[in-house]
Structure formats: structure tokens, C-alpha cells
Amino acid sequence: MAEFALIDRLRQRATATVLARGDVALGIGDDAALLDPPKGRQLALAVDTLVEGVHFPKGVPASAIGWKALAVNLSDLAAMGAEPAAALLALTLPSDDAGFVDEFAAGFSALADTHRVALVGGDTTRGPLAVSVTVVGYVPKGDALTRSGAAADDDLWITGTLGDAAGALALWKAGTPMLRTGSLRERLDRPSPRLGAGCALRGLATACIDVSDGFLADLGHLLAMSGVGADIDVDTLPVSAALLDAFPDLSTRRALQLSGGDDYELCFTAPAKKREAVLAALDAAATPVARVGRITVGASLRLFDLDGLPVALPPRRGYVHFSGETA
Amino acid sequence: MAEFALIDRLRQRATATVLARGDVALGIGDDAALLDPPKGRQLALAVDTLVEGVHFPKGVPASAIGWKALAVNLSDLAAMGAEPAAALLALTLPSDDAGFVDEFAAGFSALADTHRVALVGGDTTRGPLAVSVTVVGYVPKGDALTRSGAAADDDLWITGTLGDAAGALALWKAGTPMLRTGSLRERLDRPSPRLGAGCALRGLATACIDVSDGFLADLGHLLAMSGVGADIDVDTLPVSAALLDAFPDLSTRRALQLSGGDDYELCFTAPAKKREAVLAALDAAATPVARVGRITVGASLRLFDLDGLPVALPPRRGYVHFSGETA
């Protein structure tokens, strides 16, 4: 297999999307791709790498790796309130494995087509399995959501449910049969970036971040960038039926929700007076959302239970990918 | 060292450039960066990965790796006639080596600052040493140079000199002391992307490609995309004094010029009536250029010597990075 075989496969799959978009003046195959951004839009740019053994265990299906490598990047665009336009893929593969390549391309393309993302660049190299994706999105000028706008008394919200992917990983590590981890495992392997929700939150959210390293870790980034603190009602953190079923023990489940990674939900803040508007916007975007706390003056992050009693912060707040350890 | 240490170092170095550019609305530190592209410009997008042991040997200084990872991508923008604006960096590092990180950042930043490239995104992961860079450039709408516009009777041109980087690699592999490979080695470690030349060729060149995999290999891509052939006067291929000195044997030297990789020169075509204009434009861009052949009808690629006698094509036309073998 030559260097271009995978890229050719992906290009063929992407042709319909490229043609349908209208903003791709030149796709894969030259020294660079050419894109015509719409007027009045800012470009949102992000890059994220997945490495086997660090971001996903050995044995994950190739289609899930293809899907997830794009998903984690689209989640960054969602957190900015941007709509995705194009992606560039740098793939490092240990060997010429046509089956792997076909499955990878199928997974990547399935998500790309869903969100009309045009693959406009790619580079394949030989080496230990790693995927680096760069995404380009558009957002109306001045409307982007950032991490830095949260203000005291804002509501704190979270989309979807927390802890499912971390739960799936824990079950997998414990040797639990796939049959029993089904819907949780799907959250780990094929996360759904909250793109509709991100766009719907423009003009409503004061700050936003996607939850990739764990709820407390990413909330910490948002609070630090905004220069505020937060009080969290831990019992209101949204939980899936599957997680409840698989982890009946409260403290185990809570740890997964607070510190587990790979949720790819949006954590955002909005003024309390926008509460109804937030609910309506996310209902229109078909995205479940839960109000889980409020922003406070200062830098403290505090947890409370249903009775208003303080809950200790877990010692581990999230996963630091680089070191492979939690921090 | 946490995941963000390298990115922080690079961000600090990049601050002046980001501020000076004026089109970076939001730099590193949020879920995505925000860029305001100038009106009437298309975006040029490219990605390229360098893997230790495949694209550069073990033992290359970290500053050279940082420089080169950006240079090979800027060379792609040069080949499109685009001016660089921003870069995103995905770095995989085997260990927490502060010295390596500092040197890498110094090399990357030195080239970025030279061409006013703003680093707007980065991701660091642990694993075998690899660097993937995505670049964003601007080109006036419709003015981009592509590989597909060469026409019969066009002149064929090449900037700079060919074979220097391949010569340096050959000397290095043969154990030649660094002292004797100096200027050639610089071409291998710190290639200078021909950005000024690329922009100067807008409206003049009919097709353009950068020479990264070897002159014949990359010329082959241009010819195939344009649906034409070429006759090359091999004795006019530009050669450096250093290569002449290090490789006095004609056939060895010629093989390096025809098939050696990593030149990062521009190979382009232009109508014969634009000959003087090409020379003037590249003189203004302070870029040496040589006319080395002409485009022909059909798909043949033929080499001729000074006497007009045919020269055999070398069996190896270029380096196929993925397989690690020549093809």
C-alpha cells in the first residue's frame, strides 16, 4: 500500500460531502486544499491526537478509532458554538492493513457525513498507531462561546449524562462481557459531539467547555479562565439508566461522573434569567440538559448533596493524557 | 511536566506574532482558536507529519525537528502561492524532556517568527517521537497555484539547487564528520520554504509543486495532474558548490539531484513568453531559479544531456515515506 491509499479511500467517500458543501474550492490531491469561508464568519481551529494505549486501549475496532478521532475534535468546535466545515487527518499506522484502513475510513466518514465535514487534507505515515485530526469550523463573528465569560450567579449546566464512557472503560478493564456494557461502551467508542447544542447556545451561554478530561477537571479550566468559583449539587449531575444499572454503588458512580473522562458533553454557564431560554434552545436542538449548580465569587469549587451538606472533592479530578496518570 | 507545558512555552514565544498579525481573535488556550480571514482570500490548508526514523534519523537536534516540522508545511503553502497565517501543532513525545522541549520550541518559533506564522493550536501526547503540523494560509481568490495547469511548450523551472539534503543524508550515513557536511546538512535540517517565490509566481506559473519526495517523483505528480509530459535537460539542473565539492562523481551527484528528497524547492511551469517576467519576479523575491526543460504533449518524461542525447531515467524516482523504501 502506498502512502496515499488511505487518503484516496477517504477522498472517494468524501466526494459527495465536498460537492454538497460548496465552500471547498480544491480538495485533497494538491499541495494544499482551498476553502472559501462564508462572509462574516470567524474560523474556529482545533487539533487533537489520539494515541493507542494512551487515549484508547488496544483492541478498539478501527471504525471506532476513525469515528472518535473526528468526534473529539468536533466536540471542541461544539464547545465554541461553531459549525464544522473541514477536517485534515494525519494518521500513523504500524503496518499496511487494508482491513483496518477500510474500517477506519468507514468510521471516520460516517461521522463526517453526518455533520457535513469535508476531509480536505491527509497525511499517512508509518509508526505506532496514532491519529491527529485538525478541524476547521465557522462561527458568526463575535458569537463564539469561550471559557472565560462565566459570571457570579450564572447557572451551571451540563448536557446529556456524565460518567458513561468512564464506566464502560472500568467494566472493560474488569473483563465484563461486551453484551453487558453495550450502551455505555457506545459512549466510549463513538461519542456524539454536541454540535447542535453548541450552536443553539450562541447568545445564551456566557462560557462553555467540552468535558473530555472529566467534569471537575474541565469545569476547573472554565472557572480558572473566568476567574470565578462554583457550587455543584452533585445529586443533580445527570446519570444514565445504564450507569445506574451497572454501578449501583453511589460513591463509585459519583466518582465516574465527577472525574471520568471522554464524556464529550458541554459544560456551560448562562445567566439565571436565561433559564427558560436555555431549556427551550436545547429542547429545539434535541439535547438533554441539566442544571447542576451555580457560579460563585472567588475561586472555590464546592460540592453539596441533596440536603445541602458539603461533599468532599475526590482526590483525582481527571485524566492527564500526557503522563498517563490522573491528576 | 503536564500536557500543556510545551504548548505554553510555544504560546509565550508566539505572543508577539499573534498580536502583530491582527487576524488572530483568540489564540491557544480555549477549546479552539478563532481567526478572522481577510476578505477576498481563500484559505489554503495542509498537514504533514514527521516521524523519527522515517522522516528524520535519530540524533537530529530538537531545534531542527521543530524548524523542519513547520518548514515542510510552509513549503506546501509556498507551492500554492499562499502566504502563511497560522499553524496547529500535534506533538508526540516519548518522555518529559525539558531540554528537548525548549530546543524544539526554539526551532519551531524561529521559523514561525520569520514568516509571521501564529501558533494557534497544539496538542501534546506521549508516544514515539512524531510531529504533525497543520498550516493555514491565505491566497487571493482564484490566484492559487495548483499542480494541474501545465500546458505543452511551457518552460519547466526549479528554484534554488537540488540534491543538497539527500547529499547530506548520504554523507551522514557514511559517517562523514559534521564539519565536512556543514552547508549541505543545513539544507537537510533547516530547509527554507520558498514562500516569497510562491507568492511572486501568482499569475505567472501555470502549475507548481514543492519538491519534497525527489525532483522526478514530484515532477511526475505535476505532469500526471496536468496530463502532459516533459523533456528535462539534466545538465541544467541547478547544483550547489557544496554538492559539487562533496560528490565529484557525476552519476552519483545526478542521482541525488533527480531522486533525492527533502529539497523543498519549487518546481513550476510557465509559458515561454513569460520567461523574462519569471526571472524578474524571482529576482525580486531574491530566489535563484533555473530553467531545466519544457512541457510536452503526451505522458512521457525524458531526460537529455548537454549534447541532446537521451539519459536513462534512474530506477528509483523518489522516496515513499510510508513504506520506508524508495519506489
Side-chain angles (χ1 to χ4, degrees), chain A residues 25 30-36 42-45 48-49 55 90 96 123 125-126 128 132 134 146-147 210 322-323, chain B residues 25 30-36 42-45 48-49 55 76 90 96 123 125-126 128 132 134 146-147 210 322-323:
Chain A
D30 217 297
D31 289 293
L34 295 172
L35 205 63
D36 287 308
Q42 287 182 315
L43 301 175
L45 300 163
D48 248 319
T49 303
H55 298 92
D96 296 354
D123 188 35
T125 48
R126 190 170 59 175
S132 184
T134 299
T146 69
R147 298 176 176 179
D210 76 317
F322 185 84
S323 67
Chain B
D30 216 297
D31 289 292
L34 295 172
L35 206 63
D36 286 308
Q42 286 182 316
L43 302 175
L45 301 163
D48 248 319
T49 304
H55 299 91
D76 282 326
D96 296 355
D123 187 34
T125 48
R126 190 170 60 175
S132 184
T134 300
T146 68
R147 299 175 177 180
D210 76 317
F322 185 83
S323 68

Side-chain angles (χ1 to χ4, degrees), chain A:
Chain A
M1 185 176 71
E3 180 174 355
F4 301 102
L6 169 73
I7 304 302
D8 269 347
R9 275 186 174 77
L10 284 162
R11 175 165 50 170
Q12 286 158 15
R13 286 177 181 273
T15 302
T17 298
V18 166
L19 292 176
R21 289 199 56 87
D23 58 350
V24 181
L26 188 66
I28 290 177
D30 217 297
D31 289 293
L34 295 172
L35 205 63
D36 287 308
K39 284 180 188 172
R41 301 295 169 103
Q42 287 182 315
L43 301 175
L45 300 163
V47 62
D48 248 319
T49 303
L50 300 185
V51 178
E52 185 179 62
V54 178
H55 298 92
F56 58 88
K58 271 186 190 288
V60 168
S63 64
I65 298 168
W67 173 290
K68 190 164 181 174
L70 180 58
V72 302
N73 280 282
L74 295 182
S75 183
D76 283 325
L77 294 185
M80 301 297 289
E83 55 180 302
L88 298 96
L89 167 69
L91 179 68
T92 307
L93 274 179
S95 64
D96 296 354
D97 180 338
F100 182 95
V101 161
D102 272 337
E103 275 189 53
F104 180 93
F108 187 95
S109 301
L111 185 62
D113 292 348
T114 300
H115 294 289
R116 298 180 67 241
V117 179
L119 183 76
V120 298
D123 188 35
T124 313
T125 48
R126 190 170 59 175
L129 184 57
V131 196
S132 184
V133 173
T134 299
V135 286
V136 182
Y138 304 139
V139 60
K141 190 164 177 169
D143 283 0
L145 310 175
T146 69
R147 298 176 176 179
S148 54
D153 299 326
D154 277 358
D155 290 333
L156 181 67
W157 300 84
I158 187 91
T159 60
T161 56
L162 292 173
D164 295 327
L169 193 59
L171 291 175
W172 191 10
K173 284 179 174 170
T176 309
M178 184 73 175
L179 197 65
R180 287 198 47 223
T181 65
S183 75
L184 295 180
R185 179 65 184 271
E186 196 65 11
R187 287 291 305 271
L188 179 64
D189 285 352
R190 288 186 180 74
S192 292
R194 295 294 191 183
L195 287 158
C199 288
L201 288 171
R202 291 180 202 149
L204 290 172
T206 51
C208 187
I209 191 170
D210 76 317
V211 179
S212 54
D213 295 336
F215 171 68
L216 288 181
D218 288 310
L219 173 62
H221 296 313
L222 185 151
L223 298 178
M225 293 280 283
S226 295
V228 294
D231 288 348
I232 312 293
D233 303 312
V234 286
D235 291 312
T236 64
L237 291 176
V239 62
S240 70
L243 195 74
L244 272 171
D245 187 48
F247 296 91
D249 176 63
L250 174 66
S251 72
T252 305
R253 197 169 65 237
R254 189 177 273 170
L256 292 171
Q257 292 190 282
L258 290 172
S259 306
D262 275 342
D263 292 305
Y264 302 104
E265 298 293 352
L266 298 183
C267 171
F268 63 95
T269 58
K273 67 182 176 194
K274 296 283 177 81
R275 204 168 283 175
E276 292 306 313
V278 165
L279 290 170
L282 289 197
D283 186 54
T287 307
V289 67
R291 189 159 51 83
V292 299
R294 68 215 66 80
I295 298 300
T296 59
V297 175
S300 70
L301 174 57
R302 301 183 300 182
L303 309 182
F304 297 95
D305 68 11
L306 267 182
D307 301 318
L309 296 173
V311 174
L313 280 170
R316 299 173 160 194
R317 295 213 194 163
Y319 189 75
V320 178
H321 293 304
F322 185 84
S323 67
E325 290 162 5
T326 51

Side-chain angles (χ1 to χ4, degrees), chain B residues 240-311:
Chain B
S240 69
L243 195 72
L244 272 171
D245 188 49
F247 296 92
D249 176 62
L250 174 65
S251 72
T252 305
R253 198 170 66 238
R254 190 177 272 169
L256 292 170
Q257 293 190 279
L258 290 172
S259 306
D262 277 342
D263 293 303
Y264 302 104
E265 298 293 353
L266 298 184
C267 172
F268 63 96
T269 58
K273 66 179 179 198
K274 296 283 177 80
R275 206 169 280 176
E276 292 306 313
V278 165
L279 290 170
L282 290 197
D283 185 56
T287 307
V289 68
R291 188 158 52 84
V292 300
R294 68 215 65 82
I295 298 300
T296 59
V297 175
S300 69
L301 175 55
R302 299 183 303 181
L303 309 182
F304 297 94
D305 67 12
L306 267 182
D307 301 318
L309 296 173
V311 174

Side-chain angles (χ1 to χ4, degrees), chain B residues 55-65 67-68 163-192 240 242-243 246-247 262 264:
Chain B
H55 299 91
F56 58 88
K58 270 186 191 287
V60 169
S63 64
I65 299 168
W67 174 289
K68 189 164 181 173
D164 295 327
L169 194 58
L171 290 175
W172 191 9
K173 283 181 174 171
T176 309
M178 184 73 175
L179 198 63
R180 290 199 44 223
T181 66
S183 76
L184 295 180
R185 179 64 183 273
E186 195 67 10
R187 286 290 306 269
L188 179 65
D189 284 353
R190 288 186 181 74
S192 293
S240 69
L243 195 72
F247 296 92
D262 277 342
Y264 302 104

Side-chain angles (χ1 to χ4, degrees), chain B:
Chain B
M1 186 177 71
E3 179 175 357
F4 301 102
L6 168 72
I7 303 303
D8 269 347
R9 275 185 174 77
L10 285 164
R11 174 165 53 170
Q12 285 156 15
R13 285 177 181 273
T15 303
T17 298
V18 165
L19 292 176
R21 288 200 55 88
D23 57 349
V24 181
L26 188 66
I28 291 177
D30 216 297
D31 289 292
L34 295 172
L35 206 63
D36 286 308
K39 283 181 188 172
R41 302 294 169 104
Q42 286 182 316
L43 302 175
L45 301 163
V47 63
D48 248 319
T49 304
L50 299 186
V51 177
E52 186 178 61
V54 179
H55 299 91
F56 58 88
K58 270 186 191 287
V60 169
S63 64
I65 299 168
W67 174 289
K68 189 164 181 173
L70 181 58
V72 302
N73 280 282
L74 295 183
S75 183
D76 282 326
L77 294 184
M80 301 298 289
E83 54 180 302
L88 298 97
L89 167 69
L91 180 68
T92 308
L93 273 180
S95 65
D96 296 355
D97 179 339
F100 181 95
V101 161
D102 272 337
E103 277 190 50
F104 179 93
F108 187 96
S109 301
L111 184 63
D113 292 348
T114 300
H115 295 289
R116 299 180 65 240
V117 180
L119 184 75
V120 298
D123 187 34
T124 313
T125 48
R126 190 170 60 175
L129 183 56
V131 196
S132 184
V133 173
T134 300
V135 285
V136 182
Y138 303 140
V139 60
K141 189 164 177 171
D143 284 359
L145 310 176
T146 68
R147 299 175 177 180
S148 55
D153 300 324
D154 276 358
D155 290 333
L156 181 67
W157 301 84
I158 187 92
T159 61
T161 55
L162 292 174
D164 295 327
L169 194 58
L171 290 175
W172 191 9
K173 283 181 174 171
T176 309
M178 184 73 175
L179 198 63
R180 290 199 44 223
T181 66
S183 76
L184 295 180
R185 179 64 183 273
E186 195 67 10
R187 286 290 306 269
L188 179 65
D189 284 353
R190 288 186 181 74
S192 293
R194 296 292 191 185
L195 287 158
C199 288
L201 288 171
R202 291 180 202 149
L204 290 173
T206 49
C208 187
I209 191 169
D210 76 317
V211 179
S212 54
D213 294 336
F215 171 67
L216 288 181
D218 288 311
L219 173 61
H221 295 315
L222 184 152
L223 298 179
M225 294 280 283
S226 295
V228 293
D231 288 349
I232 312 293
D233 303 312
V234 286
D235 291 311
T236 64
L237 291 176
V239 62
S240 69
L243 195 72
L244 272 171
D245 188 49
F247 296 92
D249 176 62
L250 174 65
S251 72
T252 305
R253 198 170 66 238
R254 190 177 272 169
L256 292 170
Q257 293 190 279
L258 290 172
S259 306
D262 277 342
D263 293 303
Y264 302 104
E265 298 293 353
L266 298 184
C267 172
F268 63 96
T269 58
K273 66 179 179 198
K274 296 283 177 80
R275 206 169 280 176
E276 292 306 313
V278 165
L279 290 170
L282 290 197
D283 185 56
T287 307
V289 68
R291 188 158 52 84
V292 300
R294 68 215 65 82
I295 298 300
T296 59
V297 175
S300 69
L301 175 55
R302 299 183 303 181
L303 309 182
F304 297 94
D305 67 12
L306 267 182
D307 301 318
L309 296 173
V311 174
L313 281 169
R316 299 174 158 194
R317 298 214 193 161
Y319 189 76
V320 178
H321 293 303
F322 185 83
S323 68
E325 290 162 5
T326 51

